[in-house]
Amino acid sequence: MLQCIFLLSDSGEVMLEKQLTGHRVDRSICAWYWDHAISQGDQLQPVIASPTHYLFQIVREGITFLACSQVEMPPLMGIEFLCRVADVLADYLGGLNEDVIKDNFVIVYELLDEMIDNGFPLTTEPNILREMIAAPNIVSKMLSVVTGNSSNVNETLPAATALCVPWRTTDPKYANNEVYVDLVEEMDAVINRDGTLVKCEIYGEVQVNSHLSGLPDLTLSFANPSILDDVRFHPCVRYRPWESHQILSFVPPDGQFRLMSYRVKKLKSIPLYLKPQLTSDAGTCRLSLLVGMRNDPGKTVDSIVVQFQLPPCISTADLSSNCGTVNILSNKTCSWSIGRIPKDKSPSLSGTLVLESGLQRLHVFPTFQLGFRIMGIALSGLQIDKLDLKNLPHRPYKGFRALTRAGHYEVRA
Amino acid sequence: MAPPAQSQRSPSPSQPSGKGEVSDLKSQLRQLAGSRAPGVDDSKRDLFKKVISYMTVGIDVSSVFGEMVMCSSTSDIVLKKMCYLYVGNYAKVNPDLALLTINFLQRDCKDEDPMIRGLALRSLCSLRVANLVEYLVGPLGSGLKDSNSYVRTVAVIGVLKLYHISAATCIDADFPAMLKHLMLKDPDTQVIANCLAALQEIWTLEASNSEEASREREALISKPLIYFFLNRIKEFSEWAQSLLLELVAKYVPTDSNEIFDIMNLLEDRLQHANGAVVLATIKVFLQLTLSMTDVHQQVYERIKAPLLTLVSSGSPEQSYAVLSHLHLLVMRAPILFSSDYKHFYCQYNEPFYVKKLKLEMLTAVANESNTYEIVTELCEYAANVDIPIARESIRAVGKIALQQYDVNAIVDRLLQFLEMEKDYVTAETLVLVKDLLRKYPQWSQDCIAVVGNISSNNVQEPKAKAALIWMLGEYSQDMDDAPYILESLIENWEDEHSSEVRLHLLTAVMKCFFKRPPETQKALGDALAAGLADFHQDVHDRALFYYRLLQYNASVAERVVNPPKQAVSVFADTQNSEIKDRIFDEFNSLSVVYQKPSYMFTDKEHRGPFEFADELSNLSIGADAVDTVVPAQQVDANDKDLLLSTSEKEDGRALSSNGSAYSAPLYDAPASVPTSQIQSDLVNLTSGLPGHVPAASLAIDDLLGLGLSVTPAPAPSPPPLSLNPKAVLDPGTFQQKWRQLPISLTQEFSVSPQGIVALITPQALLRHMQGHSIHCIASGGQSPNFKFFFFGQKAEESSNFLVECIINTSSAKAQVKIKADDQSMSQTFSTLFQSALSKFGVQ
């Protein structure tokens, strides 16, 4: 039972206020929140109790989504709803920032109006919303110029609300029927300074982009579903076929959506290694980093970046590398972008850190975060077996891709 | 949007006043209002946008209300929406002008386009002006029967909005029954879900007034209805599913077969993409199996994976909400999660609050098999750049050590921390080593050797310094330097700002003295002298106490200061298990995030949703409002204070126990006033806010009451008993006490006729009594008999008074049974209770 939603800019200004019930929430709550947020810094929790209300907040691209309630409610419901609001807005407005919200606040109001009524979330399904309120994209702007009809509200109500597949637009028609299935994986790993793997896990998603006419019925199967530890499905997935044969059977929503997310734990091999070496003596510290391939995945690894926070007790740092660029930002974050590993040499970074006066040796050590991207492979080993389509007039085009990138991939020193 | 208060508030310099712009807009709108020229909609739209954007920024644009309404006759749906938005925002402030909008909204409710019908109906219900409710009934009635489901969804919520504006109108129009019919028959699931939400709220609020409503509320969790929902749950939207699952969690199945049926049916909900649905399902599972230990355990196993996935997917905010719940489960059954400890390892760039929860879980799941790895991991954090987490991890290591697993290795680790020479690591470690030694005295040799090497100059934090000093005193026989270190600390007595450290220093030097008298004698003398001269009361008192003790008998002093100690076996848990159970019962609610049961942070009174919301939301908070609202309240409060103190001054002398203040001349009054009366006044004056003090408000009431013709019998003057206005007692304890304690008083009071009238809603009485610091724990009954259970708590001590009060409205009598922890006070309490009750409804 949310009572009010506020959108705040990154300077704490109220950009938008949507009262949901008859009990209006005074704006001063935002000022309270902002002071609280500043005093807490990065220790600010998503669910806070103010003197008069419980507050839920999420921050996206510098914009704070703040919701207020005075009664008990499931906290995740509040948070999850705000996340959906942020997603839908970003999707509608083509990104989130202060200007785009201020320029389109009428649309934001319209959207919120359909997403929640009297504090109860109604629908957050982008496909349904799109049928009720058109997005302010270039096409609709063009249309409005040509036809002279500048309303961005669709004339008809979504019939899908009455169907049993609420996520699907009733009857889309495409000249080219196509469907793309992407496996997108993120690898989380923690590696100790001696190279031992403390923890390695993959969080993956099956993203589908479907442009299919009519009411198609799809089945997607994997070659090795047994490696999946836990799965979560889009509401369109039928549960029984998965239960009995690990087959994903579904009527897809139109456009881009997340069909399934999964987790694979206890992985043993990691693609890259990073060897840090820190030796400190007499007020200075020598740092050297080596990066290289550990288990070649068979595809190119690119966008390799190493990031780390210099300990606060370091006064100056002089670092150089044999390939890529090294940047030290004002907040003492050091970022070394390597890109691809060259064939002829292995990337290394070295240099000296000067400690603050009075300190002899370094006692706190940075954690190195490694970023990378591998196109064309899912490192968990998950493989799509086949995708069958039924109820389609024409043979559609099917496309498959895979991608793995680093999530929390960190090496300790 | 501009809150009403804003119009009176002088605009802050950073905000444009917008006055000129608003009047500009006003004239432009007026020009467009009658125009039918082509393209007029576009210019209207620009103007509307401006109005709304001013409203959004917080500029008061209520002055263009009339013009906006005039411009509202349009077929353009965006214009309509903006207009609805504007009207909804300002109607409450301009009830007269709102009447103007009714006409066009009602017309739109009959539009061909269902979208417009729906929007108009929603706006109509959002006006929330009490004297316009009559115009709502018609459109709502036809909205509920509309052929389009969108309109019906809106209408259902509209009924709820109507109920909040005027409950009587809503009930008279028989809307709840229509909703019930829709809930069972409508083909659209969103309509059904909205009906359920609306009915739950309406019947919960009505339940205290009518037997039928409370029956209906019970019927919502009856078997046929629950099964009706469960069988269709997959057709509902994800949010509606969360709502249904909340309902199912309240349902009590008759046998275990039913439990398994429900769980089988809901199992796939654990795989839902929406975290709110997953958590609601988990709650159902946990609630259903509470009494079946084996199954309950299997449920834990089953929900583990979905919870862990939820934590690792999604945004940090979502992770946190899930992690709080996981934390609760881990704390409840650590053994079941002991093999998953790696999931609780902290990632470097996680926010502090997430890391903190994870550290607590790591501590909880540690057992023989995984302690080594967990402690190794924690040691990694101790050396990390993130200082707050480094501290937390050292504490976690200590807690694990106190759990008795693999102490040997841990002590080594702790001693390694001391060698790291980082001031905060040393500080945290010292505190831990102290606790460890209290539990495992056998480690003293190893620890003392390392602790002895720490220079006390490097320890600055009071807690750590106190710990070091404690060890110096306790183990002075094993540490060669102990007396000399203590001596140097005492020399710097003046520079020691923490009283805790000075207290420990006194005790330590005493202990040291009994073990090594010749070396410590001088230090002890200095310490006692410095302590006696100390401005801190505790330090001074302790020094004096030691001094006299030594004067009296040194061997007695030794027995007092240095008795043989037993190792502490268990350190007290900060949260008792009853509270933990309470939080567990409130799974999937805010309680879990705050780690407190809801009665600790929400009002105890069983208020329906929003009952006080208006009062609360009128209370402004924050810097923005401080300059206007808060000073006003302060002035108000001061006025009361002034008023009170003058009346009290007079009363102090004049008010005699029979209340005939004016019969006696003022100057000879002091002689007739019982001392207890003065005392009670004094006590009352010093304790708490004037509004909460029975005596004070009574005094005012009396003064006012004398001027009125309808005066009830003068209430007996308040006895010397002040109650704790924020008393807390949970129902379980109340029940237990009620069973144990004997009845100490049974009395019959009469209730004023006004009170009987006001008793139409029992909540009024509860609120009234709460104003007198008497809290209600349960209430029930219907006309003419109402039954209440109240409790009061003495201020300053936890002595409780329990009351059963049966009020018969036809005879205007109240039967009161009082039970008390302290029997001697029950008569006084009874008088107080009576005086509070007698003023109910008399204003």
mmCIF file of all heavy atoms in Angstrom, chain A residues 207-242:
data_model
loop_
_atom_site.group_PDB
_atom_site.id
_atom_site.type_symbol
_atom_site.label_atom_id
_atom_site.label_comp_id
_atom_site.label_asym_id
_atom_site.label_seq_id
_atom_site.Cartn_x
_atom_site.Cartn_y
_atom_site.Cartn_z
ATOM 1 N N GLN A 207 17.940 -14.167 -22.869
ATOM 2 C CA GLN A 207 17.179 -13.021 -23.351
ATOM 3 C C GLN A 207 16.662 -13.334 -24.744
ATOM 4 O O GLN A 207 17.396 -13.841 -25.584
ATOM 5 C CB GLN A 207 18.060 -11.779 -23.386
ATOM 6 C CG GLN A 207 18.451 -11.338 -21.983
ATOM 7 C CD GLN A 207 19.421 -10.174 -21.995
ATOM 8 O OE1 GLN A 207 19.884 -9.765 -23.054
ATOM 9 N NE2 GLN A 207 19.734 -9.669 -20.822
ATOM 10 N N VAL A 208 15.404 -13.028 -24.943
ATOM 11 C CA VAL A 208 14.791 -13.335 -26.228
ATOM 12 C C VAL A 208 14.279 -12.040 -26.829
ATOM 13 O O VAL A 208 13.734 -11.187 -26.127
ATOM 14 C CB VAL A 208 13.634 -14.342 -26.058
ATOM 15 C CG1 VAL A 208 12.956 -14.600 -27.394
ATOM 16 C CG2 VAL A 208 14.138 -15.635 -25.451
ATOM 17 N N ASN A 209 14.503 -11.897 -28.116
ATOM 18 C CA ASN A 209 13.909 -10.782 -28.827
ATOM 19 C C ASN A 209 13.043 -11.379 -29.922
ATOM 20 O O ASN A 209 13.543 -11.994 -30.858
ATOM 21 C CB ASN A 209 15.012 -9.899 -29.410
ATOM 22 C CG ASN A 209 14.478 -8.555 -29.821
ATOM 23 O OD1 ASN A 209 13.269 -8.325 -29.776
ATOM 24 N ND2 ASN A 209 15.363 -7.669 -30.233
ATOM 25 N N SER A 210 11.738 -11.233 -29.765
ATOM 26 C CA SER A 210 10.858 -11.945 -30.677
ATOM 27 C C SER A 210 10.028 -10.967 -31.495
ATOM 28 O O SER A 210 9.441 -10.026 -30.951
ATOM 29 C CB SER A 210 9.969 -12.896 -29.869
ATOM 30 O OG SER A 210 8.630 -12.666 -30.138
ATOM 31 N N HIS A 211 10.058 -11.164 -32.806
ATOM 32 C CA HIS A 211 9.173 -10.409 -33.692
ATOM 33 C C HIS A 211 8.430 -11.425 -34.532
ATOM 34 O O HIS A 211 8.854 -11.770 -35.622
ATOM 35 C CB HIS A 211 9.975 -9.457 -34.571
ATOM 36 C CG HIS A 211 10.716 -8.430 -33.772
ATOM 37 N ND1 HIS A 211 10.089 -7.348 -33.201
ATOM 38 C CD2 HIS A 211 12.012 -8.335 -33.413
ATOM 39 C CE1 HIS A 211 10.962 -6.627 -32.549
ATOM 40 N NE2 HIS A 211 12.137 -7.208 -32.645
ATOM 41 N N LEU A 212 7.382 -11.974 -33.969
ATOM 42 C CA LEU A 212 6.662 -13.068 -34.620
ATOM 43 C C LEU A 212 5.191 -12.703 -34.726
ATOM 44 O O LEU A 212 4.614 -12.127 -33.799
ATOM 45 C CB LEU A 212 6.809 -14.361 -33.807
ATOM 46 C CG LEU A 212 8.240 -14.861 -33.582
ATOM 47 C CD1 LEU A 212 8.248 -15.981 -32.580
ATOM 48 C CD2 LEU A 212 8.847 -15.310 -34.889
ATOM 49 N N SER A 213 4.602 -13.047 -35.863
ATOM 50 C CA SER A 213 3.192 -12.728 -36.067
ATOM 51 C C SER A 213 2.307 -13.747 -35.350
ATOM 52 O O SER A 213 2.719 -14.877 -35.087
ATOM 53 C CB SER A 213 2.868 -12.759 -37.556
ATOM 54 O OG SER A 213 3.845 -12.037 -38.261
ATOM 55 N N GLY A 214 1.097 -13.319 -35.078
ATOM 56 C CA GLY A 214 0.104 -14.238 -34.537
ATOM 57 C C GLY A 214 0.399 -14.651 -33.107
ATOM 58 O O GLY A 214 0.930 -13.883 -32.313
ATOM 59 N N LEU A 215 0.007 -15.874 -32.821
ATOM 60 C CA LEU A 215 0.177 -16.389 -31.461
ATOM 61 C C LEU A 215 1.090 -17.616 -31.505
ATOM 62 O O LEU A 215 0.629 -18.744 -31.430
ATOM 63 C CB LEU A 215 -1.200 -16.755 -30.892
ATOM 64 C CG LEU A 215 -1.377 -16.685 -29.382
ATOM 65 C CD1 LEU A 215 -1.209 -15.280 -28.858
ATOM 66 C CD2 LEU A 215 -2.731 -17.234 -28.990
ATOM 67 N N PRO A 216 2.403 -17.407 -31.635
ATOM 68 C CA PRO A 216 3.314 -18.535 -31.814
ATOM 69 C C PRO A 216 3.553 -19.290 -30.510
ATOM 70 O O PRO A 216 3.426 -18.717 -29.430
ATOM 71 C CB PRO A 216 4.602 -17.871 -32.278
ATOM 72 C CG PRO A 216 4.556 -16.528 -31.660
ATOM 73 C CD PRO A 216 3.115 -16.138 -31.549
ATOM 74 N N ASP A 217 3.858 -20.548 -30.649
ATOM 75 C CA ASP A 217 4.178 -21.359 -29.474
ATOM 76 C C ASP A 217 5.602 -21.876 -29.645
ATOM 77 O O ASP A 217 5.907 -22.543 -30.625
ATOM 78 C CB ASP A 217 3.193 -22.517 -29.376
ATOM 79 C CG ASP A 217 3.046 -22.957 -27.939
ATOM 80 O OD1 ASP A 217 4.076 -22.958 -27.239
ATOM 81 O OD2 ASP A 217 1.921 -23.284 -27.536
ATOM 82 N N LEU A 218 6.468 -21.552 -28.679
ATOM 83 C CA LEU A 218 7.880 -21.884 -28.845
ATOM 84 C C LEU A 218 8.321 -22.917 -27.820
ATOM 85 O O LEU A 218 7.826 -22.919 -26.690
ATOM 86 C CB LEU A 218 8.740 -20.622 -28.674
ATOM 87 C CG LEU A 218 8.873 -19.664 -29.860
ATOM 88 C CD1 LEU A 218 7.543 -19.059 -30.225
ATOM 89 C CD2 LEU A 218 9.889 -18.587 -29.557
ATOM 90 N N THR A 219 9.259 -23.768 -28.229
ATOM 91 C CA THR A 219 9.908 -24.635 -27.242
ATOM 92 C C THR A 219 11.407 -24.524 -27.433
ATOM 93 O O THR A 219 11.919 -24.603 -28.548
ATOM 94 C CB THR A 219 9.507 -26.110 -27.398
ATOM 95 O OG1 THR A 219 9.504 -26.422 -28.779
ATOM 96 C CG2 THR A 219 8.159 -26.394 -26.795
ATOM 97 N N LEU A 220 12.068 -24.336 -26.312
ATOM 98 C CA LEU A 220 13.513 -24.165 -26.350
ATOM 99 C C LEU A 220 14.109 -25.238 -25.445
ATOM 100 O O LEU A 220 13.652 -25.424 -24.317
ATOM 101 C CB LEU A 220 13.875 -22.773 -25.817
ATOM 102 C CG LEU A 220 15.340 -22.400 -25.715
ATOM 103 C CD1 LEU A 220 15.950 -22.251 -27.098
ATOM 104 C CD2 LEU A 220 15.509 -21.104 -24.944
ATOM 105 N N SER A 221 15.092 -25.972 -25.959
ATOM 106 C CA SER A 221 15.694 -26.983 -25.089
ATOM 107 C C SER A 221 17.206 -26.805 -25.049
ATOM 108 O O SER A 221 17.818 -26.281 -25.975
ATOM 109 C CB SER A 221 15.326 -28.384 -25.565
ATOM 110 O OG SER A 221 15.715 -28.533 -26.905
ATOM 111 N N PHE A 222 17.784 -27.251 -23.965
ATOM 112 C CA PHE A 222 19.227 -27.136 -23.768
ATOM 113 C C PHE A 222 19.870 -28.501 -23.923
ATOM 114 O O PHE A 222 19.248 -29.534 -23.651
ATOM 115 C CB PHE A 222 19.533 -26.607 -22.373
ATOM 116 C CG PHE A 222 19.001 -25.227 -22.134
ATOM 117 C CD1 PHE A 222 17.899 -25.031 -21.329
ATOM 118 C CD2 PHE A 222 19.598 -24.127 -22.730
ATOM 119 C CE1 PHE A 222 17.404 -23.763 -21.106
ATOM 120 C CE2 PHE A 222 19.112 -22.852 -22.514
ATOM 121 C CZ PHE A 222 18.015 -22.670 -21.709
ATOM 122 N N ALA A 223 21.145 -28.484 -24.325
ATOM 123 C CA ALA A 223 21.862 -29.744 -24.435
ATOM 124 C C ALA A 223 22.217 -30.288 -23.055
ATOM 125 O O ALA A 223 22.297 -31.500 -22.858
ATOM 126 C CB ALA A 223 23.122 -29.546 -25.274
ATOM 127 N N ASN A 224 22.424 -29.405 -22.116
ATOM 128 C CA ASN A 224 22.886 -29.854 -20.796
ATOM 129 C C ASN A 224 22.186 -29.096 -19.670
ATOM 130 O O ASN A 224 22.826 -28.365 -18.918
ATOM 131 C CB ASN A 224 24.403 -29.673 -20.689
ATOM 132 C CG ASN A 224 24.837 -28.283 -21.178
ATOM 133 O OD1 ASN A 224 24.024 -27.522 -21.696
ATOM 134 N ND2 ASN A 224 26.094 -27.962 -20.983
ATOM 135 N N PRO A 225 20.863 -29.225 -19.554
ATOM 136 C CA PRO A 225 20.153 -28.444 -18.533
ATOM 137 C C PRO A 225 20.532 -28.836 -17.109
ATOM 138 O O PRO A 225 20.292 -28.072 -16.174
ATOM 139 C CB PRO A 225 18.682 -28.759 -18.806
ATOM 140 C CG PRO A 225 18.682 -30.053 -19.517
ATOM 141 C CD PRO A 225 19.950 -30.105 -20.294
ATOM 142 N N SER A 226 21.149 -29.999 -16.947
ATOM 143 C CA SER A 226 21.408 -30.473 -15.582
ATOM 144 C C SER A 226 22.426 -29.609 -14.851
ATOM 145 O O SER A 226 22.521 -29.671 -13.631
ATOM 146 C CB SER A 226 21.898 -31.918 -15.630
ATOM 147 O OG SER A 226 23.051 -31.974 -16.423
ATOM 148 N N ILE A 227 23.202 -28.788 -15.578
ATOM 149 C CA ILE A 227 24.201 -27.981 -14.868
ATOM 150 C C ILE A 227 23.576 -26.786 -14.140
ATOM 151 O O ILE A 227 24.227 -26.162 -13.316
ATOM 152 C CB ILE A 227 25.302 -27.449 -15.823
ATOM 153 C CG1 ILE A 227 24.699 -26.505 -16.868
ATOM 154 C CG2 ILE A 227 26.049 -28.577 -16.494
ATOM 155 C CD1 ILE A 227 25.767 -25.709 -17.606
ATOM 156 N N LEU A 228 22.322 -26.486 -14.422
ATOM 157 C CA LEU A 228 21.707 -25.299 -13.823
ATOM 158 C C LEU A 228 21.355 -25.566 -12.358
ATOM 159 O O LEU A 228 20.765 -26.579 -12.034
ATOM 160 C CB LEU A 228 20.438 -24.919 -14.591
ATOM 161 C CG LEU A 228 20.647 -24.637 -16.078
ATOM 162 C CD1 LEU A 228 19.315 -24.386 -16.760
ATOM 163 C CD2 LEU A 228 21.574 -23.452 -16.263
ATOM 164 N N ASP A 229 21.722 -24.633 -11.508
ATOM 165 C CA ASP A 229 21.455 -24.829 -10.081
ATOM 166 C C ASP A 229 20.094 -24.314 -9.662
ATOM 167 O O ASP A 229 19.436 -24.904 -8.829
ATOM 168 C CB ASP A 229 22.529 -24.128 -9.259
ATOM 169 C CG ASP A 229 23.695 -25.042 -9.035
ATOM 170 O OD1 ASP A 229 23.458 -26.187 -8.629
ATOM 171 O OD2 ASP A 229 24.830 -24.624 -9.300
ATOM 172 N N ASP A 230 19.729 -23.177 -10.199
ATOM 173 C CA ASP A 230 18.427 -22.645 -9.823
ATOM 174 C C ASP A 230 17.953 -21.764 -10.966
ATOM 175 O O ASP A 230 18.746 -21.100 -11.609
ATOM 176 C CB ASP A 230 18.531 -21.825 -8.541
ATOM 177 C CG ASP A 230 17.162 -21.422 -8.048
ATOM 178 O OD1 ASP A 230 16.293 -22.303 -7.970
ATOM 179 O OD2 ASP A 230 16.956 -20.234 -7.762
ATOM 180 N N VAL A 231 16.663 -21.805 -11.218
ATOM 181 C CA VAL A 231 16.156 -21.055 -12.356
ATOM 182 C C VAL A 231 14.963 -20.201 -11.960
ATOM 183 O O VAL A 231 14.221 -20.533 -11.029
ATOM 184 C CB VAL A 231 15.720 -22.007 -13.494
ATOM 185 C CG1 VAL A 231 16.923 -22.561 -14.202
ATOM 186 C CG2 VAL A 231 14.844 -23.111 -12.965
ATOM 187 N N ARG A 232 14.785 -19.109 -12.661
ATOM 188 C CA ARG A 232 13.583 -18.274 -12.493
ATOM 189 C C ARG A 232 13.049 -17.950 -13.876
ATOM 190 O O ARG A 232 13.816 -17.703 -14.793
ATOM 191 C CB ARG A 232 13.940 -16.978 -11.771
ATOM 192 C CG ARG A 232 14.167 -17.155 -10.312
ATOM 193 C CD ARG A 232 14.811 -15.918 -9.769
ATOM 194 N NE ARG A 232 13.851 -14.825 -9.655
ATOM 195 C CZ ARG A 232 14.215 -13.554 -9.500
ATOM 196 N NH1 ARG A 232 15.471 -13.228 -9.480
ATOM 197 N NH2 ARG A 232 13.304 -12.624 -9.376
ATOM 198 N N PHE A 233 11.721 -17.947 -13.982
ATOM 199 C CA PHE A 233 11.124 -17.815 -15.307
ATOM 200 C C PHE A 233 10.274 -16.574 -15.454
ATOM 201 O O PHE A 233 9.664 -16.095 -14.502
ATOM 202 C CB PHE A 233 10.215 -19.021 -15.589
ATOM 203 C CG PHE A 233 10.933 -20.322 -15.575
ATOM 204 C CD1 PHE A 233 10.524 -21.339 -14.735
ATOM 205 C CD2 PHE A 233 12.029 -20.528 -16.399
ATOM 206 C CE1 PHE A 233 11.180 -22.545 -14.712
ATOM 207 C CE2 PHE A 233 12.690 -21.736 -16.376
ATOM 208 C CZ PHE A 233 12.262 -22.748 -15.533
ATOM 209 N N HIS A 234 10.206 -16.127 -16.679
ATOM 210 C CA HIS A 234 9.209 -15.136 -17.068
ATOM 211 C C HIS A 234 7.836 -15.815 -16.919
ATOM 212 O O HIS A 234 7.723 -17.025 -17.117
ATOM 213 C CB HIS A 234 9.459 -14.716 -18.517
ATOM 214 C CG HIS A 234 8.600 -13.576 -18.968
ATOM 215 N ND1 HIS A 234 7.331 -13.756 -19.442
ATOM 216 C CD2 HIS A 234 8.832 -12.249 -19.002
ATOM 217 C CE1 HIS A 234 6.811 -12.580 -19.744
ATOM 218 N NE2 HIS A 234 7.700 -11.640 -19.496
ATOM 219 N N PRO A 235 6.790 -15.042 -16.577
ATOM 220 C CA PRO A 235 5.482 -15.672 -16.372
ATOM 221 C C PRO A 235 4.982 -16.476 -17.579
ATOM 222 O O PRO A 235 4.098 -17.328 -17.437
ATOM 223 C CB PRO A 235 4.554 -14.490 -16.116
ATOM 224 C CG PRO A 235 5.421 -13.377 -15.681
ATOM 225 C CD PRO A 235 6.780 -13.620 -16.233
ATOM 226 N N CYS A 236 5.541 -16.242 -18.769
ATOM 227 C CA CYS A 236 5.021 -16.942 -19.943
ATOM 228 C C CYS A 236 5.467 -18.411 -19.993
ATOM 229 O O CYS A 236 4.914 -19.202 -20.747
ATOM 230 C CB CYS A 236 5.456 -16.217 -21.220
ATOM 231 S SG CYS A 236 7.210 -16.330 -21.573
ATOM 232 N N VAL A 237 6.452 -18.788 -19.196
ATOM 233 C CA VAL A 237 6.986 -20.144 -19.300
ATOM 234 C C VAL A 237 6.057 -21.136 -18.603
ATOM 235 O O VAL A 237 5.630 -20.901 -17.473
ATOM 236 C CB VAL A 237 8.397 -20.221 -18.673
ATOM 237 C CG1 VAL A 237 8.908 -21.655 -18.676
ATOM 238 C CG2 VAL A 237 9.347 -19.316 -19.414
ATOM 239 N N ARG A 238 5.756 -22.232 -19.297
ATOM 240 C CA ARG A 238 4.909 -23.273 -18.680
ATOM 241 C C ARG A 238 5.775 -24.144 -17.789
ATOM 242 O O ARG A 238 6.877 -24.543 -18.168
ATOM 243 C CB ARG A 238 4.246 -24.119 -19.765
ATOM 244 C CG ARG A 238 3.347 -23.306 -20.660
ATOM 245 C CD ARG A 238 2.613 -24.214 -21.632
ATOM 246 N NE ARG A 238 1.853 -23.408 -22.571
ATOM 247 C CZ ARG A 238 2.270 -23.145 -23.809
ATOM 248 N NH1 ARG A 238 3.415 -23.656 -24.250
ATOM 249 N NH2 ARG A 238 1.557 -22.381 -24.595
ATOM 250 N N TYR A 239 5.232 -24.409 -16.641
ATOM 251 C CA TYR A 239 6.060 -25.045 -15.611
ATOM 252 C C TYR A 239 6.219 -26.548 -15.833
ATOM 253 O O TYR A 239 7.299 -27.102 -15.645
ATOM 254 C CB TYR A 239 5.437 -24.758 -14.247
ATOM 255 C CG TYR A 239 6.258 -25.245 -13.101
ATOM 256 C CD1 TYR A 239 7.514 -24.695 -12.846
ATOM 257 C CD2 TYR A 239 5.788 -26.247 -12.269
ATOM 258 C CE1 TYR A 239 8.283 -25.137 -11.802
ATOM 259 C CE2 TYR A 239 6.548 -26.699 -11.221
ATOM 260 C CZ TYR A 239 7.790 -26.136 -10.986
ATOM 261 O OH TYR A 239 8.543 -26.576 -9.946
ATOM 262 N N ARG A 240 5.133 -27.202 -16.256
ATOM 263 C CA ARG A 240 5.165 -28.676 -16.324
ATOM 264 C C ARG A 240 6.264 -29.232 -17.254
ATOM 265 O O ARG A 240 7.009 -30.114 -16.839
ATOM 266 C CB ARG A 240 3.801 -29.222 -16.759
ATOM 267 C CG ARG A 240 2.714 -28.946 -15.753
ATOM 268 C CD ARG A 240 2.296 -30.193 -14.976
ATOM 269 N NE ARG A 240 1.384 -29.786 -13.930
ATOM 270 C CZ ARG A 240 1.726 -29.603 -12.672
ATOM 271 N NH1 ARG A 240 2.967 -29.812 -12.277
ATOM 272 N NH2 ARG A 240 0.846 -29.199 -11.777
ATOM 273 N N PRO A 241 6.339 -28.730 -18.508
ATOM 274 C CA PRO A 241 7.375 -29.279 -19.397
ATOM 275 C C PRO A 241 8.777 -29.116 -18.810
ATOM 276 O O PRO A 241 9.629 -29.985 -18.999
ATOM 277 C CB PRO A 241 7.234 -28.443 -20.675
ATOM 278 C CG PRO A 241 5.873 -27.875 -20.616
ATOM 279 C CD PRO A 241 5.525 -27.725 -19.176
ATOM 280 N N TRP A 242 8.990 -28.047 -18.093
ATOM 281 C CA TRP A 242 10.308 -27.878 -17.480
ATOM 282 C C TRP A 242 10.513 -28.911 -16.392
ATOM 283 O O TRP A 242 11.568 -29.547 -16.313
ATOM 284 C CB TRP A 242 10.462 -26.470 -16.913
ATOM 285 C CG TRP A 242 11.763 -26.293 -16.196
ATOM 286 C CD1 TRP A 242 11.986 -26.392 -14.865
ATOM 287 C CD2 TRP A 242 13.035 -26.064 -16.797
ATOM 288 N NE1 TRP A 242 13.320 -26.230 -14.582
ATOM 289 C CE2 TRP A 242 13.985 -26.029 -15.763
ATOM 290 C CE3 TRP A 242 13.465 -25.885 -18.121
ATOM 291 C CZ2 TRP A 242 15.346 -25.822 -16.000
ATOM 292 C CZ3 TRP A 242 14.829 -25.673 -18.347
ATOM 293 C CH2 TRP A 242 15.746 -25.652 -17.297
#
